[in-house]
Amino acid sequence: MKTQHSQAALAYAEALVESAEERNSLEAVANDAGALKSALDDNPDLVPFFRDPSITQEERQAVLDKALADADETFKRFVAILNGRGRIGSLPETLDAFEYLLDQRLGKVEVDVTTAKSLTDDELANVTERLTKILGRDPVVHQYVDESIIGGLVLRVGDTVLDASVQRQLEAMRERLRS
């Protein structure tokens, strides 16, 4: 989970959210941004293309126009503005910030759940349901496996960590025995 974004990425992302809301195209923009973010995540070799100073803005824009031919006009204009202002190299971070701001607007919160073994679908649904009740928001759960925690789970919501792992409980007992 990444919730730390540069001020520039947040400013551009906020502008995209507001522009999409004004044009009633937030859902389409979110879909296009998600698709581009997935493409960049799945193909990390694309990111240097956006940062390569030997590629002109015009060349980059031509590639972007082809890649985003079917995208929403608001999203295409946004990407063109980033490119025109020399900020296209920060596109991956800006898309992350956009996703973060959109989740906030929709009442979603990202939660990292770390367990000693992978949770079944039923267990994950149970954890998600309980988190919804506790947080009063819709959790977007990211599951991680760390066998060193032995059992239990570790939850991370933003900067808050709840460590209910067996490893942590054993460490606490060890500390109590020492003192």
Side-chain angles (χ1 to χ4, degrees), residues 47-93:
V47 176
F49 167 77
F50 295 113
R51 297 185 176 137
D52 188 341
S54 69
I55 300 172
T56 67
Q57 287 182 349
E58 293 79 18
E59 292 170 325
R60 204 173 278 118
Q61 191 61 50
V63 171
L64 290 167
D65 288 343
K66 284 182 185 178
L68 301 175
D70 296 330
D72 178 84
E73 288 303 315
T74 302
F75 187 68
K76 286 194 273 193
R77 271 194 304 270
F78 172 75
V79 173
I81 288 169
L82 281 181
N83 187 42
R85 293 185 178 170
R87 301 291 304 178
I88 199 71
S90 67
L91 181 62
E93 181 186 6

Side-chain angles (χ1 to χ4, degrees), residues 91-118:
L91 181 62
E93 181 186 6
T94 303
L95 293 174
D96 283 342
F98 173 78
E99 184 178 70
Y100 170 74
L101 292 175
L102 190 59
D103 283 349
Q104 280 189 323
R105 279 217 163 80
L106 298 174
K108 295 181 180 179
V109 62
E110 292 196 28
V111 179
D112 290 342
V113 177
T114 305
T115 55
K117 64 181 180 97
S118 186

Side-chain angles (χ1 to χ4, degrees), residues 1 103 108-113 128 131 135 137-143 156:
M1 164 186 350
D103 283 349
K108 295 181 180 179
V109 62
E110 292 196 28
V111 179
D112 290 342
V113 177
T128 302
L131 286 169
L135 299 172
R137 297 169 74 187
D138 292 329
V140 177
V141 178
H142 304 281
Q143 182 179 193
R156 178 185 168 117

Side-chain angles (χ1 to χ4, degrees), residues 1 6 29 84 88 116 130 141 144 157:
M1 164 186 350
S6 72
V29 168
I88 199 71
R130 287 180 180 209
V141 178
Y144 301 96
V157 181

